Each structure stands twice: as C-alpha cells, then as structure tokens.
Amino acid sequence: MERRRFLAKAGAVTAAGAAAILDAPNVIAQPRYRWRMATSWPPKFHPPGIAAEMLAKLAEQMSGGRLHIDVYGAGELVPAFENFEACRQGTIQVGHSAAYYWAGKEPATQWFTAVPFGLNTQGTQAWLVSGGGQKLYDELYSGFGLVPRRGGPTGVQMGGWFRKKIETTADFKGLKMRIPGLGGKVVAKAGGTVTLLPVGDIFPSLERGVIDATEWVGPLQDERAGFHKAAKLYYYPGWHEPGTAGEFFFNKKAYDSLPVDIQRVLDAAAQVADVWSLAEHEAGNAGALERILKHGVQLIRFPDGVLRDFRKLSEDVLREEADKSQFAKKVHEHYEKFKKQWLEYSNLSERAYYHMMFA
Ligand code: CA
C-alpha cells in the first residue's frame, strides 16, 4: 500500500518534471555572451580571415545564439600583432594569429607554429592532439591567462619571394627578408637582416625594395597578397615552415566563465575551422601556382648546399632558443623525441608512397 502510493506520487513528479523540461526554453533565461575577436590578417583575407569568421558563425549557431563574436581584422580594433596583449588584458576575448609572433614574450611559443626541418602538418597534428603537445601548449598559454587552440594549418609552405637569385648561403649576407619565428633566426644566422611585417604591409615593402625577399605562406595566399607583382623569383621548398599552423586564443577568465557546453562549442568550432583551412590550402595551391606562373615568375628550388647549411644552422638555432627559457627547453625536447619516432615510420609510409608516386 505504502509502496503503491509512493510509485503513484513518483509518477506524478516525473510527469511534472517532463512538462517542466518541455517548457524550459520558454521559462529559463540563459545568459548570453557578446565577445570580440581581433585577427592578425586583413578582414576576410582568405583563408585565415575566413577561418576566423567561421569560428564566430559556428559559435553563434552551435550555441543557439548564446555566444555572439564580432570579428575585427588587423588594425580595425588593434594592430595586427597586438591581439595577444589585448586578449590577455581582456579588451578582446578571442585572437586569431600565429604563436611564433609572440617569440619576444616567450621563445617556447615558436614551436607551436612551425619548426624548421620539423614536422609536417600531419606530424604536427599528431604531436598536438595525441602526442602531448596540446598539454604543453595549454600550460604555456595559461601562464599568459589564455587558452590556445590550433586554428588553421597551411601545409608545407613555399620558400619565399626573392628579387635576387640565391646561389649559395653567402647570398643571404646582408639580404633583407621578412621571415618570422625560428626560420627567421636561421636566416639571421646566415647573415640576413630579418624583419617581421604583417601580411598587409609586406607588398609595399617588397615593391619599393625596402626588403629584398619575403616568405608568406604558399601560392593560394601569396597570390592574394600580390607578391608576384613585386618579385619574380619564387623559391621552394619551405624548409622553415613545413607544418605551419595558425592559432585561436581565448581569454582564459572569459573562457572559464562560460557554461561547459559553450566551451566545447568553441573547441569544436576551432577544429572545424582548422580542418577547413588545411583543405582550402591543399585544394587551392596548385591552381594559384598555375596563375602565378603566367606573370613571368620563375619557380626555383633552393640549391642543395643552401638547404644543407640551413639544416645545420636550424639545429644550432633550435638549441640556442631552447636554452633561452625552461619552457622552451621542455617543448624542444618533447618535440624532438616525438619527431624522431614519427619520422621513422613516415619513412615507410609517406616517404615511400611519394617516392613511388614520383618515380
Ligand atoms: Ca610563413
């Protein structure tokens, strides 16, 4: 009797509970968030500018409109390379950029964008997602009050645009080149003068001869930047950036204050933008290169001697940069250990496959 009465009561509660759940969207006002993102690219610059817009759009749609992000290109809210600081301060809640631009704050950041003669995009992805790299990335950025997510790989980049021919490593002596990160330090070691310009400022500098050479990404992005109108020698391969990836970073306080479901929305949206970005480069590079070559551009492979010298210089640079901070040392050792093992199997898989295909 007691039991029957209890069950009847429980049933009523359950029915009432179900009704409450059905009515929930009408009665419970969920907090809404309005965020600002600043990128390091001109507005809607394809693909990174579009990847930034994509994250904002997906966040809005996947959160049912609870998170709205306004996206600003470089210079619209803050200069191209000021978004890291702006996000730390909480002036903006999201940045879209590349980690090696923050080398001056902490040398370890450089490993999370590109390592000369390092992992390609697949290897970098494997290191970050399944090899423990993301844990280091999170730890490093939490020291800045930020949460990092990979935000757009480019594949192996091109070696860059040169106004004078490169025959030996000595040709880099006195050469003024726009090249960031660890690769830039290798060029400096070879005697070059290295500058770091945001993409919107590279073309005028190259055209006016303020710089003699620049790297950016590869045909898809380089065509849009118009470098073929300012220099005619297009070098490959991109020894300096074999597995480059952009990044999103979120202000940690703002991110942590979101409900968990919206945090996961941001993580997932960053992944979608990341996958899309690689596909855009892989699908668009070949066609863009064909169009570029119609402008009297000469495609040249770096001489073997230069690549050999740069490989040696890269090892020195990596060691020296790793010695600059404890965290850089930790990341460098972790990365090298992963790379060694990854390369051994790649020799039997990727390398053997390409070797066969191009034989
Ligand atoms: Ca680059």
Side-chain angles (χ1 to χ4, degrees), residues 31 33 63 66-67 255 258-267:
Y33 303 87
S63 70
R66 285 182 292 153
L67 175 59
Y255 179 92
L258 292 171
V260 174
D261 64 325
I262 303 189
Q263 289 178 4
R264 294 294 86 78
V265 159
L266 282 173
D267 297 346

Side-chain angles (χ1 to χ4, degrees), residues 158-163 175-179 197 202-203 206 211-216 222 227 231 233-234:
M158 286 291 282
W161 296 88
F162 291 73
R163 287 161 66 98
L175 187 95
K176 284 180 280 209
M177 183 170 185
R178 183 271 176 201
I179 175 169
L197 299 166
I202 302 174
F203 179 82
L206 189 63
I211 53 173
D212 308 307
T214 187
E215 70 80 62
W216 175 238
D222 293 7
F227 300 140
L233 309 175
Y234 199 17

Side-chain angles (χ1 to χ4, degrees), residues 119-126 150 153-156 242-244 278 282 342:
L119 298 163
N120 67 7
T121 296
Q122 269 171 274
T124 307
Q125 165 86 344
R150 198 170 84 151
T154 64
V156 179
T244 314
L278 178 63
E282 292 288 311
W342 182 85

Side-chain angles (χ1 to χ4, degrees), residues 95-324:
H96 191 225
S97 193
Y100 58 16
Y101 295 142
W102 327 125
K105 300 177 194 298
E106 164 56 71
T109 60
Q110 299 170 103
W111 272 262
F112 294 96
T113 304
V115 177
F117 299 93
L119 298 163
N120 67 7
T121 296
Q122 269 171 274
T124 307
Q125 165 86 344
W127 176 60
L128 280 174
V129 176
S130 301
Q134 183 66 43
K135 205 167 158 252
L136 291 172
Y137 202 2
D138 286 339
E139 191 184 333
L140 176 64
Y141 274 47
S142 81
F144 291 104
L146 298 171
V147 174
R149 294 290 177 263
R150 198 170 84 151
T154 64
V156 179
Q157 297 202 349
M158 286 291 282
W161 296 88
F162 291 73
R163 287 161 66 98
K164 326 179 219 191
K165 206 156 185 185
I166 296 295
E167 312 224 353
T168 70
T169 306
D171 292 328
F172 276 86
K173 280 211 170 69
L175 187 95
K176 284 180 280 209
M177 183 170 185
R178 183 271 176 201
I179 175 169
L182 297 162
K185 282 159 187 111
V186 173
V187 168
K189 230 180 197 343
T193 304
V194 170
T195 61
L196 177 56
L197 299 166
V199 62
D201 295 345
I202 302 174
F203 179 82
S205 297
L206 189 63
E207 193 186 33
R208 292 203 313 271
V210 177
I211 53 173
D212 308 307
T214 187
E215 70 80 62
W216 175 238
V217 176
L220 180 69
Q221 289 202 39
D222 293 7
E223 182 191 28
R224 276 157 217 267
F227 300 140
H228 55 280
K229 294 174 203 146
K232 296 294 176 188
L233 309 175
Y234 199 17
Y235 275 84
Y236 72 97
W239 56 272
H240 63 307
E241 296 198 25
T244 314
E247 66 175 6
F248 289 105
F249 43 80
F250 306 113
N251 176 283
K252 194 171 186 312
K253 231 188 204 163
Y255 179 92
D256 287 345
S257 70
L258 292 171
V260 174
D261 64 325
I262 303 189
Q263 289 178 4
R264 294 294 86 78
V265 159
L266 282 173
D267 297 346
Q271 280 184 6
V272 171
D274 192 70
V275 169
W276 173 84
S277 177
L278 178 63
E280 283 295 288
H281 286 94
E282 292 288 311
N285 275 332
L289 182 61
E290 273 177 28
R291 290 188 297 273
I292 283 171
L293 292 177
K294 286 181 185 148
H295 294 269
V297 168
Q298 219 184 322
L299 197 59
I300 312 172
R301 187 179 184 275
F302 280 121
D304 284 338
V306 170
L307 291 173
R308 227 177 1 251
D309 290 345
F310 276 15
R311 189 165 189 159
K312 171 78 189 52
L313 292 175
S314 294
E315 285 168 16
D316 297 342
V317 162
L318 288 176
R319 236 184 349 259
E320 287 166 18
E321 289 296 301
D323 282 342
K324 284 186 183 168

Side-chain angles (χ1 to χ4, degrees), residues 34-37 86-87 90-95 249-251 254:
R34 185 150 192 168
W35 278 16
R36 300 200 292 182
M37 175 182 348
C87 200
T91 315
I92 58 171
Q93 291 73 34
V94 197
F249 43 80
F250 306 113
N251 176 283

